[in-house]
Amino acid sequence: MIRKRVGILISGRGSNMSALIEAAKAPDYPAEIVGVLSNRAAAPGLAVASSEGIATAFLAQSKFPTREMFEDVMTQILESWDVEIVCLAGFMRVLGEDFVNHWAGRMINIHPSLLPLYRGLHTHERALADGATVSGCTVHFVTPGLDEGAPILQAKVPVLPGDTPETLAARILIEEHRIYPEALRRLALGDLSTLH
Ligand code: GRF
């Protein structure tokens, strides 16, 4: 089986990255994680990826005169790893149009809400403030509009009485770790028939 070469962009903990790395250990998984790039040197996920024998890179946007130059170098690094698919996994930077267009149809993100609800930050706080009874997560294609690309998979979880942003986030994170590897599997196979 030919496995698609995947690069992951992170900024922090990297638990979704770890879920993808674990899934890709299955011999019949159609993708392999070939590199992890962080825009934060202290991202704990970098050490995890290294310990798995995966190539890593750190790139500080502040070292570049413009966002476009920073993102061009990100693309160069990803292409030096022969990456075919990019997964954003807690990458806390809004990406510019050139970068997004370069990877169009080949770049996906996980977002902790039922998009189109609660694009952007503080999703759990906003869901709780609205009195939502259901929330969840979405894997979607990345397009220039923030969290606006077509969804690939969603999972719902109940919002329970007494939930805080932290308890709700933890319940949703379990589902993130389930649907992100499944969405990547479908993209790698070109099997997105369940797109809605
Ligand atoms: C996750 O909640 C993800 O949905 C959001 O950022 C968080 C990243 O967590 N985009 P982790 O770094 O994958 O643990």
Side-chain angles (χ1 to χ4, degrees), residues 13-16 89-90 110-112 176:
R13 178 176 60 179
S15 71
N16 279 287
I110 180 104
H111 183 77
E176 294 184 32

Side-chain angles (χ1 to χ4, degrees), residues 1 5 31 57 73 78 103 115 118 124 126 179-180 194-195:
M1 183 185 45
R5 297 176 63 82
V73 175
L78 291 165
W103 294 100
L115 291 174
Y118 310 122
H124 312 305
R126 287 151 66 200
I179 68 168
Y180 209 177
T194 54
L195 239 176

Side-chain angles (χ1 to χ4, degrees), residues 7-18 35-49 56-61 70-71 74 86-95 109-110 121 180:
I8 303 178
L9 303 190
I10 63 168
S11 299
R13 178 176 60 179
S15 71
N16 279 287
M17 173 206 78
S18 292
V36 173
L37 193 160
S38 172
N39 67 329
R40 282 189 48 233
L46 277 180
V48 175
T56 60
F58 154 63
L59 212 54
Q61 182 166 340
F70 164 70
E71 292 177 355
M74 285 210 299
V86 177
C87 291
L88 307 185
F91 186 72
M92 300 305 284
R93 283 252 168 218
V94 176
L95 293 162
N109 180 42
I110 180 104
L121 295 175
Y180 209 177

Side-chain angles (χ1 to χ4, degrees), residues 143-165:
T143 57
L146 183 64
D147 300 324
E148 285 179 2
I152 296 169
L153 273 179
Q154 286 189 316
K156 291 181 182 169
V157 307
V159 179
L160 300 178
D163 259 344
T164 63

Side-chain angles (χ1 to χ4, degrees), residues 17-126:
M17 173 206 78
S18 292
L20 296 174
I21 291 171
E22 288 306 312
K25 287 179 181 171
D28 61 347
Y29 195 76
E32 62 178 315
I33 313 304
V34 298
V36 173
L37 193 160
S38 172
N39 67 329
R40 282 189 48 233
L46 277 180
V48 175
S50 287
S51 73
E52 295 284 347
I54 295 170
T56 60
F58 154 63
L59 212 54
Q61 182 166 340
S62 57
K63 296 275 190 289
F64 293 85
T66 66
R67 177 168 84 180
E68 287 68 27
M69 291 167 86
F70 164 70
E71 292 177 355
D72 281 351
V73 175
M74 285 210 299
T75 289
Q76 283 169 25
I77 292 171
L78 291 165
E79 292 187 338
S80 77
W81 293 332
D82 291 324
V83 160
E84 300 168 276
I85 294 174
V86 177
C87 291
L88 307 185
F91 186 72
M92 300 305 284
R93 283 252 168 218
V94 176
L95 293 162
E97 213 159 304
D98 288 353
F99 185 85
V100 171
N101 288 337
H102 181 85
W103 294 100
R106 305 184 288 154
M107 180 158 63
I108 60 179
N109 180 42
I110 180 104
H111 183 77
S113 77
L114 295 174
L115 291 174
L117 292 175
Y118 310 122
R119 296 178 171 132
L121 295 175
H122 309 301
T123 55
H124 312 305
E125 286 86 344
R126 287 151 66 200

